[in-house]
Amino acid sequence: MSFTLAIVGRPNVGKSTLFNRLVGRKLALVDDQPGVTRDLREGDAKLFDMRFTVIDTAGLEEVTDDSLQGRMRRLTERAVEMADACLFVIDGRVGVTPTDEVFADILRKKNARVFLAVNKAEGKAGDSGALEAYSLGLGEPIRISAEHGEGMDDLYRELKPLEGEFAEREAENAPLVDLDLSEEEAELDADETAHYPTAKKPLQIAVIGRPNAGKSTLINKILGYDRLLTGPEAGITRDAISVRADWQGTPIRIFDTAGMRKKARITEKLEKLSVSDGIRAVRFAEVVVVLLDVEIPFEVQDLRIADFAETEGRAVVVAVNKWDLEDEKQGKLAELKEMFDRLLPQLRGAPLVTVSAKTGRGLDRLHDAIRKAHDVWNRRIPTARLNTWLGAMTEAHPPPAPGGHRIKLRYMTQAKTRPPGFVIMCSRPDELADSYKRYLVNGLREHFDMPGTPIRLFFRSQSTKNPFKDQKFHTPSRLRKHMDGKAGISPKR
């Protein structure tokens, strides 16, 4: 990526629509009501042959106190200071407002490179707004339509000089790296570290839970700075925001998701979009951290969230937040473990970690639990060990015999990882009881040390018929004469 571009402007001028247009996907939530975007969302933008990083920001408002709007404004101003350039977007249908003039002065002081874009300027309806934009003193405005993709070539011409400038700067500051590895060594190293996180393929973590459980605060503490918007209000986070970082030597990409309430309580369209965005983040993740509130743990919604993560086949780590507020820690921990084993048997053995997002205590244990869960999620077991284990399990408890016919488990192998999936060849797989399947899954967890990770068992029937029974073979004439002579039959003359 050559440079970073921050898209700023008043609420509801089309910043998120433009962001989605540049990244080529509908990543940011878009709705008619103003103030949908609250956090900073980064994406890899592509504009013709140009590649850069684009940041979608919250709408700038004339609020400077500690309210939610004030915290959103400070977060946007920080993004303006960090970005290499800013694209100030105004609404061409509305024209220049007094608020636009105030923010234009702020942008001039905080960032040297500010480009002016007039959105919704398609047709004659945007002519007056484009002419008024000259009064802001930010140069010639770029007329665009983020919804219909108009004006992208003009935006490309304005941003193109930045690409060359920052590419030269990166080349000058790039470290010299000398690698002397043979192809065989490189392939061997790739095989051994196939599932280990790297800078190019970081460990993907999603933090999910009910509203106000402390998800954004926890991620900020992991990152070491206030990257995400936090506060006492429930439901602040709306978008599923992903942030890259290096956490105790582990390259990670961590997703902050919106709080998930009971489905019956979700009535607004925007909240439905937020929950859908969080579900999509879970499907992209490798490890899911289910964050609970120590004061009200394992509510019905918590159980549904944890079960959803297991159903999606993700490695699960359960974290109990606000542990610094608990006085009777030993008794509470024993109670939590008992509730966990009783209410979530499908996640038996999954890590249960107590943390404090406010003070940072327990984050080292959370890191270790996530790494272990990820390793187990990627584990592969040799076929020989699996079949030895299967023989011992069936000998200890033979499969049931429905209708007096014993079900035979003949062969077992691991078909996949992420999560671990196993195939067992057997007779009459449809008649095998679910209780015996659970017996095998629990045995796999215990014997091969795979606590918490989802395990998939697939049972397939294996035919015992002779495959050559109905086939006819052609015997060569020379061999047929030899066989006839052995049998004492004189060949025909």
Side-chain angles (χ1 to χ4, degrees), residues 98-118:
T99 307
D100 290 328
E101 296 176 353
V102 172
F103 292 141
D105 293 335
I106 295 175
L107 293 176
R108 270 193 292 264
K109 297 176 183 177
K110 289 185 176 291
N111 198 300
R113 291 181 175 85
V114 180
F115 299 94
L116 178 61
V118 182

mmCIF file with all atom_site columns, all heavy atoms in Angstrom, residues 98-118:
data_model
loop_
_atom_site.group_PDB
_atom_site.id
_atom_site.type_symbol
_atom_site.label_atom_id
_atom_site.label_alt_id
_atom_site.label_comp_id
_atom_site.label_asym_id
_atom_site.label_entity_id
_atom_site.label_seq_id
_atom_site.pdbx_PDB_ins_code
_atom_site.Cartn_x
_atom_site.Cartn_y
_atom_site.Cartn_z
_atom_site.occupancy
_atom_site.B_iso_or_equiv
_atom_site.pdbx_formal_charge
_atom_site.auth_seq_id
_atom_site.auth_comp_id
_atom_site.auth_asym_id
_atom_site.auth_atom_id
_atom_site.pdbx_PDB_model_num
ATOM 1   N N   . PRO A 1 98  ? -22.690 25.850 7.154  1.00 0.00 ? 98  PRO A N   1
ATOM 2   C CA  . PRO A 1 98  ? -21.751 26.440 8.119  1.00 0.00 ? 98  PRO A CA  1
ATOM 3   C C   . PRO A 1 98  ? -20.873 25.388 8.805  1.00 0.00 ? 98  PRO A C   1
ATOM 4   O O   . PRO A 1 98  ? -19.708 25.649 9.114  1.00 0.00 ? 98  PRO A O   1
ATOM 5   C CB  . PRO A 1 98  ? -22.671 27.139 9.120  1.00 0.00 ? 98  PRO A CB  1
ATOM 6   C CG  . PRO A 1 98  ? -23.903 27.453 8.338  1.00 0.00 ? 98  PRO A CG  1
ATOM 7   C CD  . PRO A 1 98  ? -24.063 26.345 7.365  1.00 0.00 ? 98  PRO A CD  1
ATOM 8   N N   . THR A 1 99  ? -21.428 24.202 9.035  1.00 0.00 ? 99  THR A N   1
ATOM 9   C CA  . THR A 1 99  ? -20.633 23.126 9.638  1.00 0.00 ? 99  THR A CA  1
ATOM 10  C C   . THR A 1 99  ? -19.498 22.702 8.716  1.00 0.00 ? 99  THR A C   1
ATOM 11  O O   . THR A 1 99  ? -18.378 22.440 9.166  1.00 0.00 ? 99  THR A O   1
ATOM 12  C CB  . THR A 1 99  ? -21.529 21.921 9.950  1.00 0.00 ? 99  THR A CB  1
ATOM 13  O OG1 . THR A 1 99  ? -22.644 22.343 10.743 1.00 0.00 ? 99  THR A OG1 1
ATOM 14  C CG2 . THR A 1 99  ? -20.754 20.855 10.711 1.00 0.00 ? 99  THR A CG2 1
ATOM 15  N N   . ASP A 1 100 ? -19.748 22.650 7.411  1.00 0.00 ? 100 ASP A N   1
ATOM 16  C CA  . ASP A 1 100 ? -18.693 22.321 6.452  1.00 0.00 ? 100 ASP A CA  1
ATOM 17  C C   . ASP A 1 100 ? -17.564 23.343 6.508  1.00 0.00 ? 100 ASP A C   1
ATOM 18  O O   . ASP A 1 100 ? -16.380 22.989 6.427  1.00 0.00 ? 100 ASP A O   1
ATOM 19  C CB  . ASP A 1 100 ? -19.265 22.267 5.035  1.00 0.00 ? 100 ASP A CB  1
ATOM 20  C CG  . ASP A 1 100 ? -20.186 21.071 4.824  1.00 0.00 ? 100 ASP A CG  1
ATOM 21  O OD1 . ASP A 1 100 ? -19.934 20.031 5.456  1.00 0.00 ? 100 ASP A OD1 1
ATOM 22  O OD2 . ASP A 1 100 ? -21.145 21.190 4.041  1.00 0.00 ? 100 ASP A OD2 1
ATOM 23  N N   . GLU A 1 101 ? -17.917 24.610 6.653  1.00 0.00 ? 101 GLU A N   1
ATOM 24  C CA  . GLU A 1 101 ? -16.890 25.648 6.714  1.00 0.00 ? 101 GLU A CA  1
ATOM 25  C C   . GLU A 1 101 ? -16.024 25.509 7.963  1.00 0.00 ? 101 GLU A C   1
ATOM 26  O O   . GLU A 1 101 ? -14.799 25.683 7.914  1.00 0.00 ? 101 GLU A O   1
ATOM 27  C CB  . GLU A 1 101 ? -17.560 27.026 6.680  1.00 0.00 ? 101 GLU A CB  1
ATOM 28  C CG  . GLU A 1 101 ? -18.308 27.317 5.380  1.00 0.00 ? 101 GLU A CG  1
ATOM 29  C CD  . GLU A 1 101 ? -19.041 28.645 5.423  1.00 0.00 ? 101 GLU A CD  1
ATOM 30  O OE1 . GLU A 1 101 ? -19.063 29.266 6.522  1.00 0.00 ? 101 GLU A OE1 1
ATOM 31  O OE2 . GLU A 1 101 ? -19.584 29.065 4.384  1.00 0.00 ? 101 GLU A OE2 1
ATOM 32  N N   . VAL A 1 102 ? -16.651 25.149 9.081  1.00 0.00 ? 102 VAL A N   1
ATOM 33  C CA  . VAL A 1 102 ? -15.879 24.960 10.321 1.00 0.00 ? 102 VAL A CA  1
ATOM 34  C C   . VAL A 1 102 ? -14.915 23.798 10.176 1.00 0.00 ? 102 VAL A C   1
ATOM 35  O O   . VAL A 1 102 ? -13.728 23.885 10.536 1.00 0.00 ? 102 VAL A O   1
ATOM 36  C CB  . VAL A 1 102 ? -16.843 24.730 11.508 1.00 0.00 ? 102 VAL A CB  1
ATOM 37  C CG1 . VAL A 1 102 ? -16.064 24.327 12.756 1.00 0.00 ? 102 VAL A CG1 1
ATOM 38  C CG2 . VAL A 1 102 ? -17.671 25.976 11.769 1.00 0.00 ? 102 VAL A CG2 1
ATOM 39  N N   . PHE A 1 103 ? -15.384 22.705 9.625  1.00 0.00 ? 103 PHE A N   1
ATOM 40  C CA  . PHE A 1 103 ? -14.530 21.521 9.504  1.00 0.00 ? 103 PHE A CA  1
ATOM 41  C C   . PHE A 1 103 ? -13.458 21.697 8.444  1.00 0.00 ? 103 PHE A C   1
ATOM 42  O O   . PHE A 1 103 ? -12.394 21.097 8.534  1.00 0.00 ? 103 PHE A O   1
ATOM 43  C CB  . PHE A 1 103 ? -15.385 20.291 9.214  1.00 0.00 ? 103 PHE A CB  1
ATOM 44  C CG  . PHE A 1 103 ? -16.266 19.901 10.358 1.00 0.00 ? 103 PHE A CG  1
ATOM 45  C CD1 . PHE A 1 103 ? -17.551 19.447 10.147 1.00 0.00 ? 103 PHE A CD1 1
ATOM 46  C CD2 . PHE A 1 103 ? -15.809 20.009 11.665 1.00 0.00 ? 103 PHE A CD2 1
ATOM 47  C CE1 . PHE A 1 103 ? -18.369 19.099 11.204 1.00 0.00 ? 103 PHE A CE1 1
ATOM 48  C CE2 . PHE A 1 103 ? -16.628 19.659 12.735 1.00 0.00 ? 103 PHE A CE2 1
ATOM 49  C CZ  . PHE A 1 103 ? -17.906 19.206 12.504 1.00 0.00 ? 103 PHE A CZ  1
ATOM 50  N N   . ALA A 1 104 ? -13.725 22.518 7.433  1.00 0.00 ? 104 ALA A N   1
ATOM 51  C CA  . ALA A 1 104 ? -12.691 22.795 6.438  1.00 0.00 ? 104 ALA A CA  1
ATOM 52  C C   . ALA A 1 104 ? -11.506 23.517 7.084  1.00 0.00 ? 104 ALA A C   1
ATOM 53  O O   . ALA A 1 104 ? -10.340 23.213 6.780  1.00 0.00 ? 104 ALA A O   1
ATOM 54  C CB  . ALA A 1 104 ? -13.272 23.637 5.300  1.00 0.00 ? 104 ALA A CB  1
ATOM 55  N N   . ASP A 1 105 ? -11.789 24.439 7.998  1.00 0.00 ? 105 ASP A N   1
ATOM 56  C CA  . ASP A 1 105 ? -10.703 25.118 8.712  1.00 0.00 ? 105 ASP A CA  1
ATOM 57  C C   . ASP A 1 105 ? -9.938  24.146 9.604  1.00 0.00 ? 105 ASP A C   1
ATOM 58  O O   . ASP A 1 105 ? -8.705  24.220 9.710  1.00 0.00 ? 105 ASP A O   1
ATOM 59  C CB  . ASP A 1 105 ? -11.275 26.267 9.557  1.00 0.00 ? 105 ASP A CB  1
ATOM 60  C CG  . ASP A 1 105 ? -11.850 27.379 8.699  1.00 0.00 ? 105 ASP A CG  1
ATOM 61  O OD1 . ASP A 1 105 ? -11.399 27.508 7.548  1.00 0.00 ? 105 ASP A OD1 1
ATOM 62  O OD2 . ASP A 1 105 ? -12.752 28.099 9.179  1.00 0.00 ? 105 ASP A OD2 1
ATOM 63  N N   . ILE A 1 106 ? -10.649 23.233 10.257 1.00 0.00 ? 106 ILE A N   1
ATOM 64  C CA  . ILE A 1 106 ? -9.986  22.248 11.121 1.00 0.00 ? 106 ILE A CA  1
ATOM 65  C C   . ILE A 1 106 ? -9.071  21.340 10.306 1.00 0.00 ? 106 ILE A C   1
ATOM 66  O O   . ILE A 1 106 ? -7.942  21.053 10.704 1.00 0.00 ? 106 ILE A O   1
ATOM 67  C CB  . ILE A 1 106 ? -11.044 21.424 11.883 1.00 0.00 ? 106 ILE A CB  1
ATOM 68  C CG1 . ILE A 1 106 ? -11.819 22.327 12.848 1.00 0.00 ? 106 ILE A CG1 1
ATOM 69  C CG2 . ILE A 1 106 ? -10.386 20.278 12.644 1.00 0.00 ? 106 ILE A CG2 1
ATOM 70  C CD1 . ILE A 1 106 ? -12.958 21.617 13.548 1.00 0.00 ? 106 ILE A CD1 1
ATOM 71  N N   . LEU A 1 107 ? -9.547  20.898 9.147  1.00 0.00 ? 107 LEU A N   1
ATOM 72  C CA  . LEU A 1 107 ? -8.753  19.995 8.317  1.00 0.00 ? 107 LEU A CA  1
ATOM 73  C C   . LEU A 1 107 ? -7.496  20.673 7.789  1.00 0.00 ? 107 LEU A C   1
ATOM 74  O O   . LEU A 1 107 ? -6.441  20.042 7.679  1.00 0.00 ? 107 LEU A O   1
ATOM 75  C CB  . LEU A 1 107 ? -9.598  19.472 7.150  1.00 0.00 ? 107 LEU A CB  1
ATOM 76  C CG  . LEU A 1 107 ? -10.756 18.540 7.521  1.00 0.00 ? 107 LEU A CG  1
ATOM 77  C CD1 . LEU A 1 107 ? -11.566 18.179 6.291  1.00 0.00 ? 107 LEU A CD1 1
ATOM 78  C CD2 . LEU A 1 107 ? -10.216 17.273 8.173  1.00 0.00 ? 107 LEU A CD2 1
ATOM 79  N N   . ARG A 1 108 ? -7.599  21.936 7.467  1.00 0.00 ? 108 ARG A N   1
ATOM 80  C CA  . ARG A 1 108 ? -6.411  22.654 6.974  1.00 0.00 ? 108 ARG A CA  1
ATOM 81  C C   . ARG A 1 108 ? -5.315  22.699 8.031  1.00 0.00 ? 108 ARG A C   1
ATOM 82  O O   . ARG A 1 108 ? -4.126  22.645 7.724  1.00 0.00 ? 108 ARG A O   1
ATOM 83  C CB  . ARG A 1 108 ? -6.798  24.063 6.541  1.00 0.00 ? 108 ARG A CB  1
ATOM 84  C CG  . ARG A 1 108 ? -7.212  24.180 5.090  1.00 0.00 ? 108 ARG A CG  1
ATOM 85  C CD  . ARG A 1 108 ? -7.276  25.639 4.657  1.00 0.00 ? 108 ARG A CD  1
ATOM 86  N NE  . ARG A 1 108 ? -8.383  26.317 5.329  1.00 0.00 ? 108 ARG A NE  1
ATOM 87  C CZ  . ARG A 1 108 ? -9.589  26.479 4.777  1.00 0.00 ? 108 ARG A CZ  1
ATOM 88  N NH1 . ARG A 1 108 ? -9.823  25.979 3.579  1.00 0.00 ? 108 ARG A NH1 1
ATOM 89  N NH2 . ARG A 1 108 ? -10.542 27.107 5.417  1.00 0.00 ? 108 ARG A NH2 1
ATOM 90  N N   . LYS A 1 109 ? -5.711  22.778 9.308  1.00 0.00 ? 109 LYS A N   1
ATOM 91  C CA  . LYS A 1 109 ? -4.722  22.851 10.385 1.00 0.00 ? 109 LYS A CA  1
ATOM 92  C C   . LYS A 1 109 ? -4.149  21.473 10.738 1.00 0.00 ? 109 LYS A C   1
ATOM 93  O O   . LYS A 1 109 ? -3.000  21.379 11.157 1.00 0.00 ? 109 LYS A O   1
ATOM 94  C CB  . LYS A 1 109 ? -5.370  23.469 11.627 1.00 0.00 ? 109 LYS A CB  1
ATOM 95  C CG  . LYS A 1 109 ? -5.846  24.892 11.425 1.00 0.00 ? 109 LYS A CG  1
ATOM 96  C CD  . LYS A 1 109 ? -6.574  25.405 12.656 1.00 0.00 ? 109 LYS A CD  1
ATOM 97  C CE  . LYS A 1 109 ? -7.127  26.807 12.425 1.00 0.00 ? 109 LYS A CE  1
ATOM 98  N NZ  . LYS A 1 109 ? -7.897  27.303 13.595 1.00 0.00 ? 109 LYS A NZ  1
ATOM 99  N N   . LYS A 1 110 ? -4.935  20.418 10.568 1.00 0.00 ? 110 LYS A N   1
ATOM 100 C CA  . LYS A 1 110 ? -4.509  19.098 11.031 1.00 0.00 ? 110 LYS A CA  1
ATOM 101 C C   . LYS A 1 110 ? -3.838  18.277 9.948  1.00 0.00 ? 110 LYS A C   1
ATOM 102 O O   . LYS A 1 110 ? -3.118  17.323 10.247 1.00 0.00 ? 110 LYS A O   1
ATOM 103 C CB  . LYS A 1 110 ? -5.714  18.319 11.585 1.00 0.00 ? 110 LYS A CB  1
ATOM 104 C CG  . LYS A 1 110 ? -6.220  18.855 12.912 1.00 0.00 ? 110 LYS A CG  1
ATOM 105 C CD  . LYS A 1 110 ? -7.313  17.972 13.466 1.00 0.00 ? 110 LYS A CD  1
ATOM 106 C CE  . LYS A 1 110 ? -7.743  18.455 14.850 1.00 0.00 ? 110 LYS A CE  1
ATOM 107 N NZ  . LYS A 1 110 ? -6.680  18.227 15.849 1.00 0.00 ? 110 LYS A NZ  1
ATOM 108 N N   . ASN A 1 111 ? -4.058  18.567 8.699  1.00 0.00 ? 111 ASN A N   1
ATOM 109 C CA  . ASN A 1 111 ? -3.471  17.773 7.629  1.00 0.00 ? 111 ASN A CA  1
ATOM 110 C C   . ASN A 1 111 ? -3.141  18.674 6.454  1.00 0.00 ? 111 ASN A C   1
ATOM 111 O O   . ASN A 1 111 ? -3.962  19.490 6.034  1.00 0.00 ? 111 ASN A O   1
ATOM 112 C CB  . ASN A 1 111 ? -4.435  16.653 7.189  1.00 0.00 ? 111 ASN A CB  1
ATOM 113 C CG  . ASN A 1 111 ? -3.723  15.559 6.420  1.00 0.00 ? 111 ASN A CG  1
ATOM 114 O OD1 . ASN A 1 111 ? -3.128  15.799 5.380  1.00 0.00 ? 111 ASN A OD1 1
ATOM 115 N ND2 . ASN A 1 111 ? -3.790  14.341 6.934  1.00 0.00 ? 111 ASN A ND2 1
ATOM 116 N N   . ALA A 1 112 ? -1.943  18.497 5.920  1.00 0.00 ? 112 ALA A N   1
ATOM 117 C CA  . ALA A 1 112 ? -1.490  19.370 4.835  1.00 0.00 ? 112 ALA A CA  1
ATOM 118 C C   . ALA A 1 112 ? -2.154  19.019 3.510  1.00 0.00 ? 112 ALA A C   1
ATOM 119 O O   . ALA A 1 112 ? -2.328  19.893 2.648  1.00 0.00 ? 112 ALA A O   1
ATOM 120 C CB  . ALA A 1 112 ? 0.031   19.265 4.692  1.00 0.00 ? 112 ALA A CB  1
ATOM 121 N N   . ARG A 1 113 ? -2.507  17.769 3.327  1.00 0.00 ? 113 ARG A N   1
ATOM 122 C CA  . ARG A 1 113 ? -3.087  17.330 2.049  1.00 0.00 ? 113 ARG A CA  1
ATOM 123 C C   . ARG A 1 113 ? -4.580  17.064 2.254  1.00 0.00 ? 113 ARG A C   1
ATOM 124 O O   . ARG A 1 113 ? -4.960  16.068 2.859  1.00 0.00 ? 113 ARG A O   1
ATOM 125 C CB  . ARG A 1 113 ? -2.400  16.066 1.546  1.00 0.00 ? 113 ARG A CB  1
ATOM 126 C CG  . ARG A 1 113 ? -0.952  16.278 1.109  1.00 0.00 ? 113 ARG A CG  1
ATOM 127 C CD  . ARG A 1 113 ? -0.386  14.967 0.598  1.00 0.00 ? 113 ARG A CD  1
ATOM 128 N NE  . ARG A 1 113 ? 0.941   15.138 0.056  1.00 0.00 ? 113 ARG A NE  1
ATOM 129 C CZ  . ARG A 1 113 ? 2.054   15.120 0.782  1.00 0.00 ? 113 ARG A CZ  1
ATOM 130 N NH1 . ARG A 1 113 ? 1.971   14.922 2.087  1.00 0.00 ? 113 ARG A NH1 1
ATOM 131 N NH2 . ARG A 1 113 ? 3.237   15.300 0.228  1.00 0.00 ? 113 ARG A NH2 1
ATOM 132 N N   . VAL A 1 114 ? -5.401  17.942 1.742  1.00 0.00 ? 114 VAL A N   1
ATOM 133 C CA  . VAL A 1 114 ? -6.846  17.807 1.848  1.00 0.00 ? 114 VAL A CA  1
ATOM 134 C C   . VAL A 1 114 ? -7.432  17.957 0.450  1.00 0.00 ? 114 VAL A C   1
ATOM 135 O O   . VAL A 1 114 ? -7.210  18.972 -0.220 1.00 0.00 ? 114 VAL A O   1
ATOM 136 C CB  . VAL A 1 114 ? -7.461  18.850 2.802  1.00 0.00 ? 114 VAL A CB  1
ATOM 137 C CG1 . VAL A 1 114 ? -8.978  18.664 2.870  1.00 0.00 ? 114 VAL A CG1 1
ATOM 138 C CG2 . VAL A 1 114 ? -6.856  18.746 4.188  1.00 0.00 ? 114 VAL A CG2 1
ATOM 139 N N   . PHE A 1 115 ? -8.170  16.933 0.028  1.00 0.00 ? 115 PHE A N   1
ATOM 140 C CA  . PHE A 1 115 ? -8.874  16.983 -1.248 1.00 0.00 ? 115 PHE A CA  1
ATOM 141 C C   . PHE A 1 115 ? -10.355 17.150 -0.968 1.00 0.00 ? 115 PHE A C   1
ATOM 142 O O   . PHE A 1 115 ? -10.891 16.602 0.001  1.00 0.00 ? 115 PHE A O   1
ATOM 143 C CB  . PHE A 1 115 ? -8.631  15.697 -2.049 1.00 0.00 ? 115 PHE A CB  1
ATOM 144 C CG  . PHE A 1 115 ? -7.192  15.450 -2.375 1.00 0.00 ? 115 PHE A CG  1
ATOM 145 C CD1 . PHE A 1 115 ? -6.411  14.650 -1.548 1.00 0.00 ? 115 PHE A CD1 1
ATOM 146 C CD2 . PHE A 1 115 ? -6.614  16.014 -3.499 1.00 0.00 ? 115 PHE A CD2 1
ATOM 147 C CE1 . PHE A 1 115 ? -5.088  14.411 -1.846 1.00 0.00 ? 115 PHE A CE1 1
ATOM 148 C CE2 . PHE A 1 115 ? -5.285  15.780 -3.803 1.00 0.00 ? 115 PHE A CE2 1
ATOM 149 C CZ  . PHE A 1 115 ? -4.512  14.980 -2.976 1.00 0.00 ? 115 PHE A CZ  1
ATOM 150 N N   . LEU A 1 116 ? -11.025 17.893 -1.829 1.00 0.00 ? 116 LEU A N   1
ATOM 151 C CA  . LEU A 1 116 ? -12.446 18.196 -1.653 1.00 0.00 ? 116 LEU A CA  1
ATOM 152 C C   . LEU A 1 116 ? -13.250 17.428 -2.684 1.00 0.00 ? 116 LEU A C   1
ATOM 153 O O   . LEU A 1 116 ? -12.975 17.494 -3.889 1.00 0.00 ? 116 LEU A O   1
ATOM 154 C CB  . LEU A 1 116 ? -12.695 19.693 -1.798 1.00 0.00 ? 116 LEU A CB  1
ATOM 155 C CG  . LEU A 1 116 ? -14.152 20.164 -1.688 1.00 0.00 ? 116 LEU A CG  1
ATOM 156 C CD1 . LEU A 1 116 ? -14.736 19.810 -0.321 1.00 0.00 ? 116 LEU A CD1 1
ATOM 157 C CD2 . LEU A 1 116 ? -14.254 21.651 -1.946 1.00 0.00 ? 116 LEU A CD2 1
ATOM 158 N N   . ALA A 1 117 ? -14.246 16.664 -2.208 1.00 0.00 ? 117 ALA A N   1
ATOM 159 C CA  . ALA A 1 117 ? -15.122 15.902 -3.102 1.00 0.00 ? 117 ALA A CA  1
ATOM 160 C C   . ALA A 1 117 ? -16.565 16.316 -2.851 1.00 0.00 ? 117 ALA A C   1
ATOM 161 O O   . ALA A 1 117 ? -16.999 16.437 -1.694 1.00 0.00 ? 117 ALA A O   1
ATOM 162 C CB  . ALA A 1 117 ? -14.957 14.402 -2.877 1.00 0.00 ? 117 ALA A CB  1
ATOM 163 N N   . VAL A 1 118 ? -17.291 16.527 -3.927 1.00 0.00 ? 118 VAL A N   1
ATOM 164 C CA  . VAL A 1 118 ? -18.710 16.862 -3.847 1.00 0.00 ? 118 VAL A CA  1
ATOM 165 C C   . VAL A 1 118 ? -19.485 15.615 -4.263 1.00 0.00 ? 118 VAL A C   1
ATOM 166 O O   . VAL A 1 118 ? -19.516 15.256 -5.443 1.00 0.00 ? 118 VAL A O   1
ATOM 167 C CB  . VAL A 1 118 ? -19.058 18.056 -4.757 1.00 0.00 ? 118 VAL A CB  1
ATOM 168 C CG1 . VAL A 1 118 ? -20.535 18.409 -4.623 1.00 0.00 ? 118 VAL A CG1 1
ATOM 169 C CG2 . VAL A 1 118 ? -18.195 19.256 -4.405 1.00 0.00 ? 118 VAL A CG2 1
#
